[in-house]
Amino acid sequence: MKKLRVSKAQYYLNIAKEVAKRSTCLRRHYGAVIVNNDQIVSTGYAGAPRKTSNCAEIGTCIRIQLGARRGEHYEWCRAVHAEQNAIIHASRFDMLGSTLYLVGTSPTTGAVIKGAEPCKICKRMIINAGVAAVVTQTEPGKFRTDSVEEWTRSNMGDFKRVRGKLIPVMPRGY
């Protein structure tokens, strides 16, 4: 019986999931892989800036202690996000038209986080880096592809058009 070959998207998502194992975040482990022309350009995982203490070493997370909800109070976080680290370690020229693969897992169970996606800050960086698409693992064996161009067309959901005018949309949690 012929064994089915893993898809390219799942191959890169599997690598991102492995990269996530280096994460030092206590809330979520994220891994990112930037690929252009079937070549890995860069990888990144969530962790504190170089030569600073990370939450795994400290043994606590201020966002957990203060009850920060998902998507809120990133300024309290010590970590540089996986997407940010992957972007920092690549040249913009190498990222133009690329695809970023992103996987989030639970630090306690290793299970894939359903609905994982880049935060607003990471989306801005992804847009400016020249990345064309973001592929996220939605659950084992399944993934979603988002067009970065669609993020820009929709103003990242920050504004909606009402009678031809852009009206700010209040962020969740406020």
Side-chain angles (χ1 to χ4, degrees):
M1 185 171 164
K2 187 177 177 181
K3 186 177 178 180
L4 294 178
R5 191 172 178 195
V6 66
S7 71
K8 287 255 176 120
Q10 192 58 61
Y11 167 73
Y12 292 124
L13 288 166
N14 289 348
I15 293 170
K17 186 175 180 185
E18 195 64 28
V19 171
K21 291 179 181 177
R22 290 279 306 152
S23 179
T24 58
C25 177
L26 298 177
R27 286 174 62 107
R28 290 179 177 80
H29 289 177
Y30 272 86
V33 176
I34 298 174
V35 177
N36 205 350
N37 296 319
D38 266 340
Q39 181 70 42
I40 294 175
V41 172
S42 184
T43 65
Y45 56 86
R50 292 179 193 276
K51 300 180 183 176
T52 67
S53 300
N54 63 60
C55 293
E57 292 171 338
I58 296 168
T60 188
C61 167
I62 193 75
R63 290 187 74 221
I64 291 172
Q65 287 180 346
L66 298 176
R69 294 186 297 199
R70 183 177 175 189
E72 294 181 7
H73 297 294
Y74 286 118
E75 71 274 14
W76 296 344
C77 184
R78 295 193 54 73
V80 177
H81 291 185
E83 307 94 298
Q84 294 168 343
N85 271 321
I87 289 168
I88 289 167
H89 299 295
S91 76
R92 186 169 191 277
F93 179 79
D94 289 336
M95 291 185 286
L96 291 174
S98 66
T99 301
L100 187 146
Y101 295 86
L102 180 68
V103 176
T105 61
S106 163
T108 52
T109 67
V112 170
I113 297 169
K114 293 180 181 179
E117 65 177 295
C119 72
K120 293 271 189 175
I121 296 166
C122 287
K123 283 183 177 181
R124 291 179 196 132
M125 291 181 71
I126 289 166
I127 290 167
N128 277 3
V131 173
V134 175
V135 178
T136 51
Q137 185 85 58
T138 55
E139 55 187 89
K142 296 186 179 179
F143 56 89
R144 181 182 82 230
T145 303
D146 290 317
S147 162
V148 174
E149 185 178 325
E150 179 55 34
W151 291 351
T152 60
R153 267 200 306 274
S154 69
N155 289 293
M156 293 179 21
D158 290 338
F159 298 90
K160 63 181 180 180
R161 285 204 182 274
V162 177
R163 293 186 204 92
K165 292 185 179 181
L166 289 174
I167 306 297
V169 175
M170 187 61 78
R172 285 177 282 159
Y174 288 90

